[in-house]
Amino acid sequence: MSKLRVHSFSISLDGYGAGPDQGLDNPLGVGGETLHEWVFPTRTFQQMYGNDSGTTGINDDFAVRGFANIGAWIMGRNMFGPVRGSWPDDDWKGWWGDNPPYHCPVFVLTNHPRASIVMDGGTTFHFVTDGIHAALKRAMEAADGRDIRIGGGVATVRDYLRARLIDEMHLAISPVLLGGGEHLFAGIDAAQLGYRCTEHVPMTDVTHVVLTKQG
Ligand SMILES: NC(=O)c1ccc[n+]([C@@H]2O[C@H](COP(=O)([O-])OP(=O)(O)OC[C@H]3O[C@@H](n4cnc5c(N)ncnc54)[C@H](OP(=O)(O)O)[C@@H]3O)[C@@H](O)[C@H]2O)c1
C-alpha cells in the first residue's frame, strides 16, 4: 500500500513554514530561506542542481530519505509558483527550470484549470481542480505501488494533515523566528488526529522530528 509522506519540511521555532509576502522575489516568503539553511549544503540538495559536492551525514541522510521509493508528488499551486488567480498564459512552468528535480508525475492542487506540462527528465505537472482526495487518487495510480510525497506548501500539508491522510511527516525545525507567514499547526491538534513523534534528532543547525500516524 502506498504511503503519503512529507519530508524535509522546514519550519521556524514559532511554527511557520513560509514567511509573509511570497512572490517572485521571495518564493519562500520574506525570511523563508532561513528555514532551509540546513539542507542547502547537503549532497542531496547540491546534486539536485548539478553540483558534485555537498555534505554527508545526518542532515543529508534525512534529505536522502525524502527521495526513496517516491512515485509521484503532490504540491499546492503557491509552491509551484508566484502566479495567483487564473493563469494568464502558459509561460510559468515552475521554479525549477527545464529539468525539475521530481522525475515523476507531480499533481498541483489549484482552483484554476490548466493543461498538463511535460518537462525534461520525466517530470510532468498535472493540475488538479477537484480537491485533495482526487489528487491523492491520481497520484496513487501514477505511483503504481510506490509512495507519494507532498512537497508543500503549508496549506497543502495542513489540508492532508487535517484529513489524517499523511502517514509520515519529517519536519526540520530551524533555529529562527519568522513572526509571521504560513503557520503549519495553527488550529490543528495533531495529537488528537493520532500523530506521535517517533524520531527526534537534534543537530547544531536544525532539529529533525518525524511524526507518524498511529493505528
Ligand atoms: N517549509 C518548507 O519546507 C516548504 C516546502 C514547500 C514549500 N514551501 C513554501 O510554502 C509556500 C507555499 O505554501 P502556501 O501555504 O502558501 O500554499 P500551497 O499549499 O503551496 O498552495 C495553496 C494553494 O493551492 C491551491 N489549493 C490548495 N488546496 C486546494 C484544493 N483542495 N483544491 C483546489 N486548490 C487548492 C489554492 O490555489 P488557487 O485557489 O489559487 O488555485 C491554494 O491557495 C511557498 O512560499 C513555498 O516556497 C515551504
Side-chain angles (χ1 to χ4, degrees), residues 81 96 100 134-135 173 175 186 194 209:
W96 306 276
I173 305 169
V209 167

Side-chain angles (χ1 to χ4, degrees), residues 7-11 16-19 22 26-29 35-36 75-80 83-85 87 95 109-112 128-132 151-157 159 182:
H7 287 272
S8 298
F9 199 86
S10 305
I11 60 171
Y16 294 95
Q22 295 170 38
N26 284 301
L28 309 165
L35 303 178
H36 304 276
M75 68 174 64
R77 158 313 150 79
N78 295 359
M79 175 174 169
F80 178 70
V83 183
R84 300 290 185 267
W87 305 98
W95 297 104
L109 283 161
T110 177
N111 288 296
H112 301 276
V128 181
T129 54
D130 43 1
I132 61 169
V154 183
T156 299
V157 174
D159 281 353
E182 307 305 320

